[in-house]
Protein backbone atom coordinates (compact mmCIF):
# COMPACT_ATOMS: atom_id res chain seq x y z
CA UNK A 1 0.00 0.00 0.00
CA UNK A 2 1.48 3.32 -1.08
CA UNK A 3 0.82 6.18 1.33
CA UNK A 4 0.82 9.87 0.41
CA UNK A 5 1.07 12.36 3.27
CA UNK A 6 -0.52 15.63 2.29
CA UNK A 7 -0.70 18.94 4.12
CA UNK A 8 -4.10 20.54 3.58
CA UNK A 9 -4.63 24.29 3.84
CA UNK A 10 -8.25 25.16 3.01
CA UNK A 11 -7.50 28.88 3.60
CA UNK A 12 -10.31 31.42 3.23
CA UNK A 13 -13.77 31.76 1.75
CA UNK A 14 -14.81 28.98 -0.60
CA UNK A 15 -11.45 27.28 0.00
CA UNK A 16 -13.15 25.90 3.11
CA UNK A 17 -15.94 24.49 0.92
CA UNK A 18 -14.11 23.09 -2.10
CA UNK A 19 -11.13 21.59 -0.27
CA UNK A 20 -13.22 19.20 1.87
CA UNK A 21 -15.09 18.26 -1.32
CA UNK A 22 -11.86 17.41 -3.15
CA UNK A 23 -10.47 15.54 -0.13
CA UNK A 24 -13.60 13.41 -0.14
CA UNK A 25 -13.16 12.63 -3.83
CA UNK A 26 -9.49 11.72 -3.33
CA UNK A 27 -10.36 9.37 -0.46
CA UNK A 28 -12.99 7.73 -2.65
CA UNK A 29 -10.49 7.38 -5.46
CA UNK A 30 -7.98 5.72 -3.13
CA UNK A 31 -10.66 3.25 -1.97
CA UNK A 32 -11.53 2.41 -5.56
CA UNK A 33 -7.86 1.93 -6.45
CA UNK A 34 -7.14 -0.19 -3.40
CA UNK A 35 -3.36 0.18 -3.58
CA UNK A 36 -2.91 3.75 -2.38
CA UNK A 37 -3.88 5.75 0.68
CA UNK A 38 -3.95 9.47 1.40
CA UNK A 39 -3.20 10.86 4.83
CA UNK A 40 -4.37 14.45 5.07
CA UNK A 41 -3.25 16.81 7.84
CA UNK A 42 -5.19 20.05 7.96
CA UNK A 43 -3.82 23.47 8.93
CA UNK A 44 -6.08 26.45 9.72
CA UNK A 45 -3.76 29.09 8.26
CA UNK A 46 -5.89 31.87 6.80
CA UNK A 47 -6.91 35.51 7.25
CA UNK A 48 -8.87 34.58 10.37
CA UNK A 49 -5.73 32.95 11.73
CA UNK A 50 -3.93 36.24 11.00
CA UNK A 51 -6.41 38.25 13.07
CA UNK A 52 -5.78 35.97 16.01
CA UNK A 53 -2.01 35.48 15.67
CA UNK A 54 -0.76 38.47 13.66
CA UNK A 55 0.70 36.09 11.10
CA UNK A 56 -0.73 34.12 8.18
CA UNK A 57 1.12 31.02 9.36
CA UNK A 58 3.26 30.20 12.42
CA UNK A 59 6.99 30.98 12.38
CA UNK A 60 7.82 27.30 11.98
CA UNK A 61 5.07 26.82 9.37
CA UNK A 62 7.49 26.10 6.54
CA UNK A 63 9.38 23.53 8.64
CA UNK A 64 6.08 21.80 9.40
CA UNK A 65 5.10 21.69 5.73
CA UNK A 66 8.49 20.54 4.53
CA UNK A 67 7.95 16.97 5.71
CA UNK A 68 4.88 16.35 3.55
CA UNK A 69 4.73 14.75 0.11
CA UNK A 70 2.61 17.63 -1.19
CA UNK A 71 0.58 20.65 -0.12
CA UNK A 72 -3.07 20.86 -1.15
CA UNK A 73 -4.34 24.42 -0.84
CA UNK A 74 -7.73 26.05 -1.41
CA UNK A 75 -7.58 29.83 -1.63
CA UNK A 76 -6.13 32.65 0.41
CA UNK A 77 -7.70 36.08 0.78
CA UNK A 78 -10.34 37.93 2.70
CA UNK A 79 -9.89 41.60 1.88
CA UNK A 80 -12.42 42.59 4.56
CA UNK A 81 -10.10 41.21 7.25
CA UNK A 82 -6.58 41.51 5.81
CA UNK A 83 -5.23 43.50 2.84
CA UNK A 84 -4.66 41.12 -0.09
CA UNK A 85 -0.94 41.83 -0.49
CA UNK A 86 -0.38 40.89 3.16
CA UNK A 87 -2.34 37.64 3.04
CA UNK A 88 -0.91 36.60 -0.33
CA UNK A 89 2.73 37.33 0.52
CA UNK A 90 2.28 35.98 4.07
CA UNK A 91 1.61 32.43 2.96
CA UNK A 92 1.10 31.67 -0.73
CA UNK A 93 4.07 33.49 -2.16
CA UNK A 94 6.10 32.56 0.91
CA UNK A 95 5.53 28.86 0.25
CA UNK A 96 6.06 29.16 -3.51
CA UNK A 97 9.36 31.02 -3.04
CA UNK A 98 10.78 29.17 -0.01
CA UNK A 99 9.95 25.76 -1.44
CA UNK A 100 11.43 26.71 -4.81
CA UNK A 101 8.18 25.97 -6.62
CA UNK A 102 9.63 27.58 -9.66
CA UNK A 103 7.07 26.43 -12.20
CA UNK A 104 3.34 26.99 -12.20
CA UNK A 105 1.42 24.83 -14.66
CA UNK A 106 -2.14 25.57 -15.61
CA UNK A 107 -4.06 23.59 -18.22
CA UNK A 108 -7.18 24.76 -20.03
CA UNK A 109 -9.20 22.61 -22.37
CA UNK A 110 -12.58 22.29 -23.93
CA UNK A 111 -14.61 20.46 -21.31
CA UNK A 112 -17.63 18.34 -22.17
CA UNK A 113 -20.84 19.77 -20.78
CA UNK A 114 -19.44 23.25 -20.32
CA UNK A 115 -20.69 26.25 -22.19
CA UNK A 116 -17.55 27.92 -23.46
CA UNK A 117 -18.25 31.59 -24.17
CA UNK A 118 -16.47 31.01 -27.48
CA UNK A 119 -18.69 30.46 -30.51
CA UNK A 120 -16.30 27.85 -31.82
CA UNK A 121 -14.18 26.36 -29.03
CA UNK A 122 -12.99 23.63 -31.41
CA UNK A 123 -11.68 21.22 -28.79
CA UNK A 124 -8.84 23.43 -27.59
CA UNK A 125 -6.43 21.76 -25.17
CA UNK A 126 -3.50 23.84 -23.96
CA UNK A 127 -1.25 24.22 -20.96
CA UNK A 128 0.49 27.32 -19.69
CA UNK A 129 3.90 26.95 -18.07
CA UNK A 130 4.26 30.03 -15.92
CA UNK A 131 7.62 31.06 -14.46
CA UNK A 132 6.82 31.14 -10.76
CA UNK A 133 9.85 32.44 -8.90
CA UNK A 134 10.78 35.88 -10.22
CA UNK A 135 9.84 38.13 -13.12
CA UNK A 136 7.38 40.92 -12.48
CA UNK A 137 6.46 39.59 -9.01
CA UNK A 138 9.47 40.81 -7.07
CA UNK A 139 9.93 42.68 -3.82
CA UNK A 140 12.52 44.92 -5.41
CA UNK A 141 11.57 48.56 -5.42
CA UNK A 142 10.12 51.02 -2.99
CA UNK A 143 8.01 54.06 -2.33
CA UNK A 144 9.10 57.53 -1.44
CA UNK A 145 7.58 61.00 -0.77
CA UNK A 146 3.99 61.99 -0.22
CA UNK A 147 1.30 63.74 -2.18
CA UNK A 148 2.20 65.26 -5.52
CA UNK A 149 5.78 63.95 -5.36
CA UNK A 150 4.78 60.42 -4.40
CA UNK A 151 6.72 57.76 -6.30
CA UNK A 152 6.58 53.96 -6.56
CA UNK A 153 9.32 51.95 -8.24
CA UNK A 154 8.86 48.26 -8.96
CA UNK A 155 11.60 46.25 -10.63
CA UNK A 156 11.13 43.05 -12.61
CA UNK A 157 13.79 40.37 -12.28
CA UNK A 158 14.69 37.94 -15.06
CA UNK A 159 17.58 35.56 -14.51
CA UNK A 160 19.05 33.26 -17.10
CA UNK A 161 18.57 30.36 -14.69
CA UNK A 162 14.89 31.04 -13.99
CA UNK A 163 14.01 31.84 -17.59
CA UNK A 164 15.82 28.86 -19.07
CA UNK A 165 14.38 26.50 -16.46
CA UNK A 166 10.80 27.47 -17.31
CA UNK A 167 11.46 27.17 -21.01
CA UNK A 168 13.11 23.75 -20.74
CA UNK A 169 10.16 22.54 -18.67
CA UNK A 170 7.82 23.73 -21.44
CA UNK A 171 9.82 21.95 -24.16
CA UNK A 172 9.95 18.70 -22.18
CA UNK A 173 6.21 18.92 -21.58
CA UNK A 174 5.54 19.60 -25.27
CA UNK A 175 7.46 16.43 -26.17
CA UNK A 176 4.90 14.47 -24.14
CA UNK A 177 2.02 16.33 -25.80
CA UNK A 178 1.65 17.65 -29.34
CA UNK A 179 5.19 18.97 -29.74
CA UNK A 180 4.60 22.72 -29.93
CA UNK A 181 5.78 25.55 -27.67
CA UNK A 182 4.68 29.18 -27.87
CA UNK A 183 6.67 31.89 -26.11
CA UNK A 184 4.75 34.80 -24.58
CA UNK A 185 6.87 37.89 -25.07
CA UNK A 186 6.57 41.66 -25.23
CA UNK A 187 9.95 42.57 -26.60
CA UNK A 188 8.52 45.46 -28.57
CA UNK A 189 7.41 47.41 -25.50
CA UNK A 190 9.54 46.11 -22.63
CA UNK A 191 13.05 47.24 -23.34
CA UNK A 192 15.38 44.96 -21.36
CA UNK A 193 13.75 41.88 -19.92
CA UNK A 194 11.71 40.72 -22.89
CA UNK A 195 14.47 40.90 -25.54
CA UNK A 196 16.46 38.82 -23.00
CA UNK A 197 13.51 36.40 -22.76
CA UNK A 198 13.49 36.09 -26.58
CA UNK A 199 17.23 35.48 -26.69
CA UNK A 200 17.01 32.64 -24.17
CA UNK A 201 14.02 31.15 -25.98
CA UNK A 202 15.98 31.11 -29.25
CA UNK A 203 18.89 29.42 -27.50
CA UNK A 204 16.84 26.79 -25.71
CA UNK A 205 14.85 25.81 -28.77
CA UNK A 206 18.07 24.73 -30.52
CA UNK A 207 18.18 21.80 -28.08
CA UNK A 208 14.68 20.66 -29.12
CA UNK A 209 14.74 20.51 -32.92
CA UNK A 210 11.79 18.08 -32.81
CA UNK A 211 9.54 20.66 -31.14
CA UNK A 212 7.87 23.37 -33.18
CA UNK A 213 7.85 26.90 -31.83
CA UNK A 214 6.11 30.23 -32.13
CA UNK A 215 6.53 33.53 -30.38
CA UNK A 216 3.78 36.12 -29.89
CA UNK A 217 3.53 39.37 -28.00
CA UNK A 218 1.38 38.87 -24.95
CA UNK A 219 -1.37 41.24 -26.10
CA UNK A 220 -1.88 39.41 -29.40
CA UNK A 221 -1.46 36.06 -27.68
CA UNK A 222 -4.22 36.91 -25.22
CA UNK A 223 -6.48 37.80 -28.11
CA UNK A 224 -5.63 34.48 -29.83
CA UNK A 225 -6.72 32.66 -26.67
CA UNK A 226 -10.16 34.01 -27.49
CA UNK A 227 -10.18 33.82 -31.27
CA UNK A 228 -8.27 30.56 -31.90
CA UNK A 229 -7.16 28.74 -28.74
CA UNK A 230 -6.88 25.46 -30.66
CA UNK A 231 -3.58 26.59 -32.25
CA UNK A 232 -1.82 26.29 -28.88
CA UNK A 233 -0.24 23.31 -27.16
CA UNK A 234 2.26 24.50 -24.51
CA UNK A 235 2.75 28.19 -23.80
CA UNK A 236 5.69 29.44 -21.74
CA UNK A 237 5.21 32.77 -20.01
CA UNK A 238 6.71 35.02 -17.36
CA UNK A 239 5.09 35.25 -13.94
CA UNK A 240 2.69 38.13 -14.66
CA UNK A 241 1.91 37.20 -18.27
CA UNK A 242 1.23 33.61 -17.23
CA UNK A 243 -1.03 34.74 -14.41
CA UNK A 244 -3.19 36.89 -16.65
CA UNK A 245 -3.21 34.42 -19.53
CA UNK A 246 -4.45 31.58 -17.32
CA UNK A 247 -7.45 33.55 -16.12
CA UNK A 248 -8.39 33.88 -19.79
CA UNK A 249 -7.79 30.12 -20.07
CA UNK A 250 -10.27 29.56 -17.26
CA UNK A 251 -12.75 31.95 -18.80
CA UNK A 252 -12.77 30.26 -22.23
CA UNK A 253 -13.37 26.91 -20.55
CA UNK A 254 -16.54 28.39 -19.14
CA UNK A 255 -15.65 29.32 -15.57
CA UNK A 256 -12.64 30.11 -13.46
CA UNK A 257 -14.27 27.75 -10.96
CA UNK A 258 -12.96 24.73 -12.88
CA UNK A 259 -9.41 25.87 -13.67
CA UNK A 260 -6.68 23.82 -11.92
CA UNK A 261 -3.05 24.65 -11.17
CA UNK A 262 0.13 23.21 -9.74
CA UNK A 263 3.22 24.86 -8.24
CA UNK A 264 6.05 22.49 -9.00
CA UNK A 265 9.32 22.08 -7.12
CA UNK A 266 11.80 20.71 -9.63
CA UNK A 267 14.81 19.85 -7.44
CA UNK A 268 12.96 17.49 -5.10
CA UNK A 269 14.12 19.36 -1.99
CA UNK A 270 10.66 20.56 -1.01
CA UNK A 271 7.05 19.54 -1.58
CA UNK A 272 5.09 20.90 -4.52
CA UNK A 273 1.83 22.75 -3.91
CA UNK A 274 -1.48 22.20 -5.65
CA UNK A 275 -4.08 25.00 -5.66
CA UNK A 276 -6.77 25.96 -8.15
CA UNK A 277 -6.54 29.17 -10.16
CA UNK A 278 -9.53 30.80 -8.50
CA UNK A 279 -9.50 32.78 -5.27
CA UNK A 280 -11.69 32.71 -2.19
CA UNK A 281 -14.77 34.10 -3.99
CA UNK A 282 -16.20 36.18 -1.13
CA UNK A 283 -19.28 36.94 -3.25
CA UNK A 284 -20.55 33.35 -3.12
CA UNK A 285 -18.87 32.09 0.04
CA UNK A 286 -21.19 30.34 2.51
CA UNK A 287 -23.91 29.63 -0.06
CA UNK A 288 -22.80 26.07 -0.75
CA UNK A 289 -22.68 26.66 -4.50
CA UNK A 290 -18.95 26.97 -5.11
CA UNK A 291 -17.82 24.82 -8.03
CA UNK A 292 -15.57 22.08 -6.61
CA UNK A 293 -14.19 21.02 -10.01
CA UNK A 294 -11.20 23.41 -10.01
CA UNK A 295 -10.08 21.98 -6.68
CA UNK A 296 -10.79 18.38 -7.69
CA UNK A 297 -8.98 18.74 -11.03
CA UNK A 298 -6.10 20.25 -9.03
CA UNK A 299 -6.17 16.98 -7.08
CA UNK A 300 -5.79 15.20 -10.41
CA UNK A 301 -2.65 17.24 -11.11
CA UNK A 302 -1.33 16.13 -7.71
CA UNK A 303 -1.96 12.51 -8.74
CA UNK A 304 -0.04 13.12 -11.99
CA UNK A 305 2.81 14.54 -9.94
CA UNK A 306 2.89 11.37 -7.83
CA UNK A 307 3.02 9.32 -11.04
CA UNK A 308 -0.56 8.09 -10.64
CA UNK A 309 -1.45 9.31 -14.12
CA UNK A 310 -3.90 6.56 -14.97
CA UNK A 311 -5.93 7.23 -11.85
CA UNK A 312 -5.87 10.93 -12.64
CA UNK A 313 -7.19 10.34 -16.15
CA UNK A 314 -10.04 8.24 -14.76
CA UNK A 315 -10.94 11.02 -12.35
CA UNK A 316 -10.97 13.66 -15.09
CA UNK A 317 -13.19 11.44 -17.27
CA UNK A 318 -15.68 11.06 -14.43
CA UNK A 319 -15.71 14.82 -13.78
CA UNK A 320 -16.40 15.46 -17.47
CA UNK A 321 -19.19 12.85 -17.51
CA UNK A 322 -20.86 14.46 -14.50
CA UNK A 323 -20.60 17.89 -16.10
CA UNK A 324 -21.83 16.60 -19.47
CA UNK A 325 -24.86 15.08 -17.72
CA UNK A 326 -25.78 18.51 -16.39
CA UNK A 327 -24.91 18.07 -12.72
CA UNK A 328 -23.34 21.49 -12.47
CA UNK A 329 -23.01 24.42 -10.08
CA UNK A 330 -24.59 27.79 -11.01
CA UNK A 331 -21.35 29.37 -12.32
CA UNK A 332 -21.51 26.91 -15.24
CA UNK A 333 -25.22 27.16 -15.76
CA UNK A 334 -26.50 24.43 -13.46
CA UNK A 335 -28.53 24.28 -10.27
CA UNK A 336 -26.50 21.77 -8.27
CA UNK A 337 -24.72 22.52 -5.02
CA UNK A 338 -21.08 21.84 -4.19
CA UNK A 339 -22.21 18.81 -2.23
CA UNK A 340 -24.37 17.38 -5.01
CA UNK A 341 -21.59 17.63 -7.60
CA UNK A 342 -19.09 16.08 -5.19
CA UNK A 343 -21.41 13.22 -4.25
CA UNK A 344 -22.20 12.47 -7.87
CA UNK A 345 -18.48 12.31 -8.72
CA UNK A 346 -17.89 9.96 -5.76
CA UNK A 347 -20.86 7.79 -6.71
CA UNK A 348 -19.57 7.33 -10.25
CA UNK A 349 -16.02 6.67 -9.07
CA UNK A 350 -17.31 3.85 -6.90
CA UNK A 351 -18.90 2.28 -9.97
CA UNK A 352 -15.55 2.04 -11.79
P1 LIG B 1 -11.99 34.92 -7.26
O1 LIG B 1 -11.36 33.89 -8.11
O2 LIG B 1 -12.11 34.60 -5.82
O3 LIG B 1 -13.46 35.25 -7.83
C1 LIG B 1 -13.67 35.77 -9.13
C2 LIG B 1 -15.10 35.43 -9.59
O4 LIG B 1 -15.17 34.04 -9.93
C3 LIG B 1 -16.15 35.65 -8.51
O5 LIG B 1 -17.33 36.12 -9.11
C4 LIG B 1 -16.38 34.27 -7.94
O6 LIG B 1 -17.65 34.05 -7.40
C5 LIG B 1 -16.13 33.36 -9.13
N1 LIG B 1 -15.56 32.07 -8.71
C6 LIG B 1 -14.28 31.83 -8.34
N2 LIG B 1 -14.14 30.54 -7.99
C7 LIG B 1 -15.35 29.96 -8.13
C8 LIG B 1 -15.84 28.64 -7.93
N3 LIG B 1 -15.05 27.64 -7.49
N4 LIG B 1 -17.15 28.40 -8.17
C9 LIG B 1 -17.95 29.36 -8.61
N5 LIG B 1 -17.55 30.64 -8.85
C10 LIG B 1 -16.26 30.93 -8.60
O7 LIG B 1 -11.14 36.27 -7.45
P2 LIG B 1 -11.30 37.68 -6.72
O8 LIG B 1 -12.73 37.97 -6.42
O9 LIG B 1 -10.51 38.62 -7.51
O10 LIG B 1 -10.53 37.50 -5.33
C11 LIG B 1 -11.16 37.19 -4.11
C12 LIG B 1 -10.08 36.93 -3.06
O11 LIG B 1 -9.32 35.79 -3.43
C13 LIG B 1 -9.07 38.06 -2.90
O12 LIG B 1 -8.74 38.17 -1.55
C14 LIG B 1 -7.88 37.60 -3.72
O13 LIG B 1 -6.66 38.14 -3.27
C15 LIG B 1 -7.94 36.13 -3.47
N6 LIG B 1 -7.29 35.33 -4.52
C16 LIG B 1 -6.55 34.27 -4.08
C17 LIG B 1 -5.98 33.43 -4.99
C18 LIG B 1 -5.26 32.25 -4.48
O14 LIG B 1 -5.38 31.87 -3.33
N7 LIG B 1 -4.49 31.58 -5.30
C19 LIG B 1 -6.10 33.63 -6.44
C20 LIG B 1 -6.95 34.75 -6.79
C21 LIG B 1 -7.50 35.56 -5.85
MG1 LIG C 1 -4.44 34.85 -10.78
Amino acid sequence: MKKYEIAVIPGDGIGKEVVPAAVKVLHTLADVHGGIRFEFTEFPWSCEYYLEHGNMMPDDGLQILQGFDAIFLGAIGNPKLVPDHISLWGILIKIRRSFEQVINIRPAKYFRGLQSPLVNPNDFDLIVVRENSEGEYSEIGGRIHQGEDEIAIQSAVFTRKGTERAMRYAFELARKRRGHVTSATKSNGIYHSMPFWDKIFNEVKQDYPDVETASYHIDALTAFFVTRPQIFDVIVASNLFGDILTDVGGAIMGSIGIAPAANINLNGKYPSMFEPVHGSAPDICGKGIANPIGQIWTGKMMLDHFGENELGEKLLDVIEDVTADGIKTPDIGGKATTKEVTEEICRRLKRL
Side-chain angles (χ1 to χ4, degrees), residues 212-235:
E212 279 183 80
T213 61
S215 177
Y216 295 108
H217 292 307
I218 186 63
D219 39 0
L221 177 51
T222 311
F224 288 156
F225 259 45
V226 175
T227 54
R228 42 180 141 142
Q230 61 283 345
I231 69 170
F232 298 109
D233 178 16
V234 177
I235 299 107

Side-chain angles (χ1 to χ4, degrees), residues 104-133:
N104 188 226
I105 43 176
R106 296 180 162 183
K109 69 182 200 86
Y110 178 68
F111 211 77
R112 278 183 288 126
L114 275 197
Q115 186 80 48
S116 166
L118 304 181
V119 174
N120 194 0
N122 246 330
D123 269 344
F124 68 88
D125 181 353
L126 56 87
I127 185 157
V128 175
V129 174
R130 167 187 172 197
E131 201 295 318
N132 210 29
S133 72

Side-chain angles (χ1 to χ4, degrees), residues 254-325:
S255 168
I256 191 171
I258 76 157
N263 299 285
I264 304 291
N265 168 277
L266 292 179
N267 60 20
K269 286 190 196 157
Y270 305 99
S272 295
M273 177 165 66
F274 300 83
E275 43 148 353
V277 175
H278 68 73
S280 55
D283 53 338
I284 57 160
C285 167
K287 296 186 178 154
I289 54 164
N291 195 336
I293 293 181
Q295 190 77 45
I296 298 171
W297 189 349
T298 297
K300 183 242 179 228
M301 294 184 78
M302 185 166 73
L303 291 171
D304 290 344
H305 182 70
F306 290 151
E308 306 284 354
N309 303 62
E310 209 178 305
L311 202 58
E313 283 312 315
K314 271 188 197 154
L315 174 59
L316 195 59
D317 283 346
V318 168
I319 302 173
E320 276 202 79
D321 285 344
V322 168
T323 312
D325 288 344

Side-chain angles (χ1 to χ4, degrees), residues 89-198:
W89 281 87
I91 180 163
L92 255 186
I93 299 191
K94 197 167 165 182
I95 297 174
R96 286 180 188 162
R97 296 274 156 102
S98 310
F99 286 175
E100 300 179 31
Q101 293 163 349
V102 296
I103 301 287
N104 188 226
I105 43 176
R106 296 180 162 183
K109 69 182 200 86
Y110 178 68
F111 211 77
R112 278 183 288 126
L114 275 197
Q115 186 80 48
S116 166
L118 304 181
V119 174
N120 194 0
N122 246 330
D123 269 344
F124 68 88
D125 181 353
L126 56 87
I127 185 157
V128 175
V129 174
R130 167 187 172 197
E131 201 295 318
N132 210 29
S133 72
E134 52 178 41
E136 304 86 346
Y137 292 177
S138 90
E139 297 127 294
I140 296 178
R143 286 160 73 161
I144 189 169
H145 303 318
Q146 292 294 319
E148 236 179 85
D149 295 327
E150 209 165 351
I151 300 173
I153 292 178
Q154 172 81 54
S155 299
V157 176
F158 286 77
T159 64
R160 169 177 281 278
K161 190 171 153 191
T163 306
E164 203 177 313
R165 183 167 61 192
M167 288 172 176
R168 289 197 185 277
Y169 190 92
F171 277 95
E172 296 291 339
L173 188 61
R175 274 188 171 160
K176 291 185 219 143
R177 290 174 48 103
R178 300 192 305 278
H180 191 283
V181 175
T182 302
S183 161
T185 185
K186 189 62 193 172
S187 45
N188 58 350
I190 299 180
Y191 200 83
H192 296 294
S193 57
M194 282 296 139
F196 172 77
W197 175 275
D198 289 356

Side-chain angles (χ1 to χ4, degrees), residues 82-93:
V82 181
D84 275 344
H85 68 284
I86 298 212
S87 56
L88 205 69
W89 281 87
I91 180 163
L92 255 186
I93 299 191

